[in-house]
């Protein structure tokens, strides 16, 4: 009985080992398959010019009622948990909650993601099969701002769930930049000493000038941030101030949720984009951006990180495993060649023949150890050399 139990245990162990080996082999083959396909269809996110896409405002991503539902769900969950999470993102943490933890809002999140993807496809030429790999609701209150940073994935969207006090739109840090943008009086000669427009007239794209030559030409390409109606209105009425002075066009007391804030883009002349409730700021994940300081109130937003499913799989340790596998395969082939194919006997025979020839030469000259006449032979050789 004891022996039967031992045999059964051994059989189970062998079966488990076989199953584990099978799972490992299938996992390895899947990673190799994904890596090979991704090599032909994916560009690394840091090298894809679309991930540096300039920002734009996507209108009506969610409705006011949807925003209320999202905020209510987040506040209820935070109350249950004892607060929002503050360490989910290691380098640039936000006060947030993953939307997966929120109850009865999945329909709103899905609809918002679909609308944001539609905008990214139009603005950044992003592929239509984008997938949300991180979605979270952010609260700015105790945390007033967020330092400039890059996002994970390839594309980003932040949906405004609160009403700003300032007039929504693009806020320029200096009047000269605002005037240059709206009336085209300035395009900086900052690309190798010549105006950016001149380079673009020669067939160079904005992406090439910005990413390859590191030229600062973004000011000339901001038309898409503000919609056409807003542009036409401001061009028609040139006296209209923009950004507005303090108090001009601001929401009345009680009609706003926070003051200050907005998404800041430090490499785009520190332009600050303030979306109205329900609108989203969309851009490439590699475009540096941060959260501007709020001076009062609470600012809620819904943040999305998007990526291409296949490319994200490939970049998430798959390429490393793929290259390591290729290296191991190469080493195994070399070892197999050395062990079973390479024939070193001819080389050994050649070495032995050379040694025999040397011995014969030494013997013919009388230097062979133990041979009579070695001394006289040596003396005669030395004498001959002396006579010569």
């Amino acid at each position: 009985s004891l022996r039967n139990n031992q045999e059964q245990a051994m059989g189970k162990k062998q079966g488990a080992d076989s199953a584990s080996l099978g799972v490992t082999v299938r996992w390895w083959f899947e990673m190799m398959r994904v890596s090979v396909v991704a090599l032909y269809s994916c560009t690394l996110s840091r090298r894809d010019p679309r991930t540096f896409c300039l920002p734009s405002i996507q209108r009506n991503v969610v409705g006011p009622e949807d925003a209320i539902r999202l905020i209510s769900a987040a506040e209820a969950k935070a109350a249950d948990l004892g607060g929002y999470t503050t360490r989910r993102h290691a380098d640039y943490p936000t006060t947030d909650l993953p939307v997966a933890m929120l109850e009865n809002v999945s329909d709103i999140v899905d609809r918002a993601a679909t609308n944001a993807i539609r905008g990214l496809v139009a603005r950044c030429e992003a592929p239509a099969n984008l997938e949300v790999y991180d979605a979270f609701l952010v609260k700015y209150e105790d945390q007033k701002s967020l330092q400039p940073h890059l996002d994970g994935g390839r594309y980003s969207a932040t949906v405004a769930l609160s009403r700003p006090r300032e007039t929504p739109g693009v806020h320029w840090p200096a009047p000269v930049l605002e005037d240059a943008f709206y009336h085209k009086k300035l395009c900086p000669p900052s690309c190798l000493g010549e105006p950016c427009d001149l380079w673009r007239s020669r067939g160079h794209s904005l992406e090439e000038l910005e990413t390859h030559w590191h030229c600062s030409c973004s000011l000339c390409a901001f038309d898409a941030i503000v919609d056409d109606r807003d542009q036409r209105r401001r061009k028609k009425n040139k006296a209209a101030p923009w950004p507005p002075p303090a108090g001009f066009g601001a929401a009345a007391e009680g009609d706003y949720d926070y003051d200050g804030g907005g998404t800041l883009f430090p490499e785009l002349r520190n332009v600050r984009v303030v979306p109205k409730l329900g609108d989203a700021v969309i851009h490439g994940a590699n475009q540096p951006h941060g959260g501007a300081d709020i001076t009062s109130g609470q600012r809620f937003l819904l943040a999305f990180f998007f990526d291409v499913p296949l490319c994200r799989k490939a970049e998430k340790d798959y390429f490393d495993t793929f290259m390591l596998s290729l290296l191991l395969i190469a080493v195994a082939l070399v070892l197999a060649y050395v062990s079973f194919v390479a024939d070193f006997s001819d080389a050994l025979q050649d070495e032995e023949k050379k040694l025999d020839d040397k011995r014969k030469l030494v013997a013919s000259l009388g230097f062979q150890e133990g041979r009579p006449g070695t001394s006289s032979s040596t003396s005669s050789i030395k004498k001959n050399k002396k006579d010569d």
Side-chain angles (χ1 to χ4, degrees):
S1 176
L2 179 60
R3 184 173 181 179
N4 290 336
N5 291 337
Q6 290 177 345
E7 290 177 353
Q8 290 177 0
M10 287 291 293
K12 289 181 180 179
K13 184 176 183 303
Q14 290 175 355
D17 292 342
S18 299
S20 177
L21 179 61
V23 170
T24 302
V25 170
R26 285 194 296 272
W27 168 79
W28 182 82
F29 272 110
E30 173 63 15
M31 284 206 301
M32 294 290 284
R33 183 192 68 80
V34 169
S35 298
V36 170
V37 174
L39 279 174
Y40 287 95
S41 59
C42 293
T43 304
L44 292 176
S45 60
R46 299 295 185 231
R47 298 180 181 177
D48 188 346
R50 295 175 298 179
T51 66
F52 296 86
C53 174
L54 295 173
S56 179
I57 295 177
Q58 177 73 6
R59 306 292 184 184
N60 302 318
V61 175
V62 299
E65 298 82 5
D66 296 334
I68 293 173
R69 282 180 56 191
L70 285 166
I71 294 173
S72 300
E75 292 285 88
K77 178 56 68 172
D80 292 342
L81 298 175
Y84 286 78
T85 61
T86 57
R87 296 183 180 180
R88 281 201 328 114
H89 303 102
D91 295 329
Y92 297 93
T94 52
T95 303
D96 61 43
L97 283 175
V99 296
M101 300 177 65
L102 308 184
E103 298 178 359
N104 302 321
V105 294
S106 58
D107 58 326
I108 302 175
V109 174
D110 293 342
R111 191 163 57 249
T114 300
N115 291 335
I117 289 173
R118 188 180 300 115
L120 287 167
V121 171
R123 171 63 170 157
C124 304
E125 298 181 359
N129 64 331
L130 288 180
E131 187 177 83
V132 177
Y133 88 87
D134 194 10
F136 50 100
L137 191 143
V138 183
K139 179 180 182 180
Y140 286 103
E141 185 179 24
D142 296 330
Q143 180 183 358
K144 303 294 184 184
S145 62
L146 184 62
Q147 292 297 312
H149 60 282
L150 306 179
D151 289 335
R154 283 172 163 74
Y155 307 95
S156 304
T158 52
V159 186
L161 304 178
S162 304
R163 300 168 298 171
R165 182 179 185 183
E166 295 178 283
T167 303
V170 181
H171 291 248
W172 297 94
V176 64
L177 297 179
E178 174 259 322
D179 187 66
F181 171 61
Y182 285 108
H183 307 308
K184 299 295 182 184
K185 293 181 179 178
L186 173 68
C187 192
S190 56
C191 191
L192 305 180
E194 294 184 335
C196 295
D197 282 345
L198 181 59
W199 285 105
R200 297 189 71 185
S201 68
R202 295 171 180 168
H204 297 276
S205 67
L206 177 69
E207 290 76 15
E208 177 189 359
L209 297 176
E210 291 277 355
T211 61
H212 182 70
W213 296 107
H214 304 290
C215 297
S216 186
C217 297
S218 302
L219 183 63
C220 307
F222 251 94
D223 291 310
I225 290 184
V226 185
D227 64 22
D228 293 336
R229 291 171 299 173
D230 193 49
Q231 285 278 52
R232 287 195 296 270
R233 179 173 63 84
R234 298 191 183 282
K235 286 181 179 180
K236 183 177 180 181
N237 183 12
K238 294 184 179 181
W242 188 267
F248 179 86
E253 195 70 32
D255 290 339
Y256 64 90
D257 301 309
Y258 69 94
D259 198 0
T263 304
L264 188 69
F265 292 89
E267 293 191 3
L268 305 180
R269 308 297 196 279
N270 277 323
V271 68
R272 185 167 55 93
V273 182
V274 180
K276 72 176 183 180
L277 190 154
D279 290 353
V281 180
I282 58 175
H283 55 86
N286 287 326
Q287 183 66 250
H289 60 284
D293 280 309
I294 64 167
T295 56
S296 65
Q298 296 176 334
R299 179 191 178 204
F300 291 90
L301 58 87
L302 177 63
F304 291 106
F305 293 167
F306 297 101
D307 209 336
V308 181
L310 174 66
C311 301
R312 178 153 185 83
K313 275 187 177 181
E315 289 189 19
K316 192 177 181 181
D317 302 329
Y318 276 42
F319 274 135
D320 292 339
T321 304
F322 176 70
M323 299 307 294
L324 179 60
S325 299
L326 290 183
L327 178 62
L328 293 176
I329 291 172
V331 170
L333 290 175
V334 170
L335 292 177
Y337 174 79
V338 170
S339 301
F340 303 106
V341 179
D343 187 4
F344 298 101
S345 59
D346 292 340
L348 293 174
Q349 290 175 1
D350 291 342
E351 289 294 328
E352 291 177 356
K353 185 177 180 181
K354 289 179 181 178
L355 289 175
D356 289 339
D357 292 341
K358 288 181 180 179
R359 292 193 192 100
K360 290 178 181 178
L361 179 60
V362 171
S364 65
L365 295 175
F367 289 118
Q368 190 172 14
E369 184 179 354
R371 179 171 177 171
T374 300
S375 176
S376 61
S377 299
T378 305
S379 299
S380 62
I381 292 172
K382 288 182 178 180
K383 184 178 179 181
N384 292 335
K385 287 184 178 180
K386 187 175 181 182
D387 293 341
D388 292 341

